[in-house]
Amino acid sequence: MDRIEKVKAGFAREFGRAEGRELIVCSAPGRTEIGGNHTDHQRGRVLTAAVNLDAIACAAPNGTDVVRVYSEGYGLATVDMSVREPIPEEYGSTEAIIRGVMAGVSRGMGFDAYVISDVPGGSGLSSSACFEVLIGTIANELFCGGALEPVEIARIGQYAENEYFGKPSGLLDQMGCAMGGAVYIDFAECDEDGLPKYERIDFDLASYGYAMCIIDSGSDHADLTDDYAAVPEEMKAVAAAFGRETLSEVKEEEFYERVSEFRETVGDRAIMRAMHFFAETKRAKEQAESLKNGDFDRFLELVRASGKSSYELLQNVDTYRNPNRQPVAFVLALAEHYLGGRGAVRVHGGGFAGAVQAYVPLNMLDDFKREMDAVLGEGACVEISIRPVGGCRLAEEQADAAICCMKL
């Protein structure tokens, strides 16, 4: 049974047959962060891409104010949309995301949806943003005539995650899932509607003799909300010391001229995280330029520098609450050992838990995956590809939902 048949069968089993209702199948991909680690919430620059792992849903309107979403492996979430304000008791839940996305769309009534996903939770591939974009895409197709642009769906997803789910994320994850392909985004340059400037970047890793792998550290993001929240909070505290809202509004030269003034008030870690921001947001732009210019050696240098900065300045590799358990740091060290000075490796996504990103020479790929899996477990190291299409409605013939995927 292919995936479209599987979600249709699941829909019929959970919600009954959809005679007389518009039945659609939608898909939203996961995303990989290529550059710009923790810069989006400070209106910095990022380089991100949709990947060939996705969530798909079969959905139909139900003529009520209630949204019912059955996610395979997680069960049924039921949301009464007669209440569109955030509900504190729902923070951190699937229901909160659904309520927030539908409130952000602000059109339409209830629907039923059956969801399956091969985007692993806690992998750093943004399963939550993928789900937000999926719900937004369903609402767009059912109730908006497809009028919402991908960037609008991304912003609605961020709104749901910030205001309803209770996680202060930036817009990188949702943009990567919604836009498709590889995208360079400058959050400091926005149009009159507040939407960021972006540019698609075409490149083919295989043409340079490399593949990208995502390596699961075996850890999850449970109980890490405070660690994630501390990153933007501390960066904003530094910006506030300069009378600004975000670090993108602070001149780097002035920051270094006055840095000694603020050590006691904001703390050393906050200052080092600001140092990371200034360097990382410039790196993301240079990464995009190096790929456009075909300078892959320089691109790899920048990936390594991003990983070093994330580890030493941003400090999002580990919480250090349990020194005997440092899964991301361990995977970074292991991957660097097996790469033997070739390629590049860095913490992936928000950090603290989840995954590591590695650029692996094609002539080492099979051995690298085998060696990593031997230590971390079968399937821990996965080669991924870029998907050029973001959240979308699937045609009947697109059964595998890996729409025209191309190698990164």
Side-chain angles (χ1 to χ4, degrees):
M1 179 185 294
D2 65 43
R3 296 179 79 209
I4 286 182
E5 290 176 350
K6 183 176 181 180
V7 291
K8 285 184 174 181
F11 182 95
R13 185 171 60 250
E14 186 66 28
F15 303 112
R17 299 205 167 271
E19 284 89 350
R21 294 199 276 168
E22 180 187 7
L23 191 69
I24 64 172
V25 178
C26 293
S27 165
R31 73 94 184 98
T32 183
E33 172 204 282
I34 300 171
N37 197 214
H38 276 286
T39 62
D40 55 335
H41 46 69
Q42 298 302 298
R43 296 208 291 269
R45 306 182 190 103
V46 302
L47 185 61
T48 185
V51 301
N52 61 321
L53 301 175
D54 73 337
I56 67 172
C58 180
N62 58 29
T64 75
D65 287 333
V66 176
V67 176
R68 299 186 298 174
V69 178
Y70 189 97
S71 298
E72 193 171 88
Y74 295 92
L76 182 67
T78 301
V79 179
D80 182 353
M81 286 308 303
S82 63
V83 179
R84 292 182 174 258
E85 295 75 28
I87 298 176
E89 291 77 18
E90 283 185 348
Y91 284 177
S93 70
T94 300
E95 288 81 359
I97 289 176
I98 296 169
R99 191 182 305 280
V101 171
M102 292 305 294
V105 171
S106 72
R107 276 174 274 179
M109 300 174 68
F111 64 85
D112 300 327
Y114 190 92
V115 179
I116 62 174
S117 177
D118 59 10
V119 181
S123 65
L125 295 172
S126 293
S127 57
S128 59
C130 168
F131 183 75
E132 291 155 12
V133 170
L134 182 65
I135 297 300
T137 301
I138 292 169
N140 188 31
E141 294 294 330
L142 288 179
F143 306 122
C144 306
L148 295 178
E149 294 293 328
V151 68
E152 295 177 275
I153 293 175
R155 192 160 64 168
I156 288 168
Q158 182 202 21
Y159 167 75
E161 188 158 316
N162 291 174
E163 303 300 327
Y164 288 74
F165 188 80
K167 182 178 178 181
S169 69
L171 191 57
L172 181 153
D173 295 348
Q174 292 82 4
M175 285 282 283
C177 295
M179 299 299 299
V183 186
Y184 166 71
I185 310 167
D186 187 338
F187 290 105
E189 296 191 31
C190 298
D191 62 20
E192 60 273 14
D193 296 321
L195 297 176
K197 178 182 177 181
Y198 63 90
E199 177 186 2
R200 293 186 181 276
I201 306 294
D202 294 324
F203 68 103
D204 179 9
L205 258 182
S207 69
Y208 296 107
Y210 279 83
M212 179 190 283
C213 292
I214 297 296
I215 309 162
D216 185 359
S217 70
S219 57
D220 61 42
H221 296 82
D223 301 322
L224 292 175
T225 297
D226 290 345
D227 296 283
Y228 292 119
V231 176
E233 287 171 0
E234 291 180 10
M235 288 185 179
K236 287 181 179 179
V238 176
F242 287 84
R244 300 291 186 268
E245 182 180 351
T246 64
L247 286 174
S248 65
E249 303 167 76
V250 177
K251 293 184 183 300
E252 184 178 3
E253 297 81 3
E254 184 184 3
F255 167 80
Y256 279 104
E257 287 172 0
R258 300 178 58 191
V259 69
S260 62
E261 297 178 29
F262 306 112
R263 287 188 65 190
E264 294 301 320
T265 54
V266 301
D268 286 346
R269 188 174 70 172
I271 289 172
M272 288 189 289
R273 284 174 165 172
M275 290 176 177
H276 166 83
F277 168 83
F278 289 119
E280 184 76 353
T281 195
K282 289 189 290 188
R283 259 193 300 269
K285 182 178 182 179
E286 193 173 348
Q287 281 181 287
E289 292 297 326
S290 66
L291 290 173
K292 286 161 57 177
N293 296 332
D295 188 351
F296 195 70
D297 288 340
R298 178 58 179 157
F299 171 78
L300 287 179
E301 288 178 8
L302 293 163
V303 172
R304 297 185 199 105
S306 174
K308 185 175 187 292
S309 181
S310 296
Y311 206 149
E312 297 178 358
L313 298 178
L314 182 62
Q315 299 181 37
N316 70 331
V317 167
D318 196 81
T319 65
Y320 302 104
R321 287 195 286 264
N322 180 4
N324 291 322
R325 179 70 177 162
Q326 299 182 35
V328 176
F330 172 75
V331 173
L332 285 168
L334 192 68
E336 287 184 344
H337 169 74
Y338 288 133
L339 284 173
R342 299 183 64 187
V345 61
R346 66 192 281 272
V347 62
H348 184 247
F352 300 110
V356 164
Q357 181 188 76
Y359 294 84
V360 183
L362 290 175
N363 61 6
M364 297 177 64
L365 182 61
D366 290 342
D367 287 342
F368 181 79
K369 290 168 64 177
R370 183 174 60 253
E371 289 163 340
M372 296 301 294
D373 284 359
V375 178
L376 302 172
E378 188 68 27
C381 182
V382 177
E383 180 187 2
I384 62 171
S385 304
I386 280 189
R387 171 174 133 160
V389 179
C392 64
R393 180 173 177 173
L394 295 180
E396 291 292 331
E397 63 270 17
Q398 291 170 317
D400 63 359
I403 312 163
C404 303
C405 285
M406 58 186 178
K407 290 292 184 183
L408 179 64

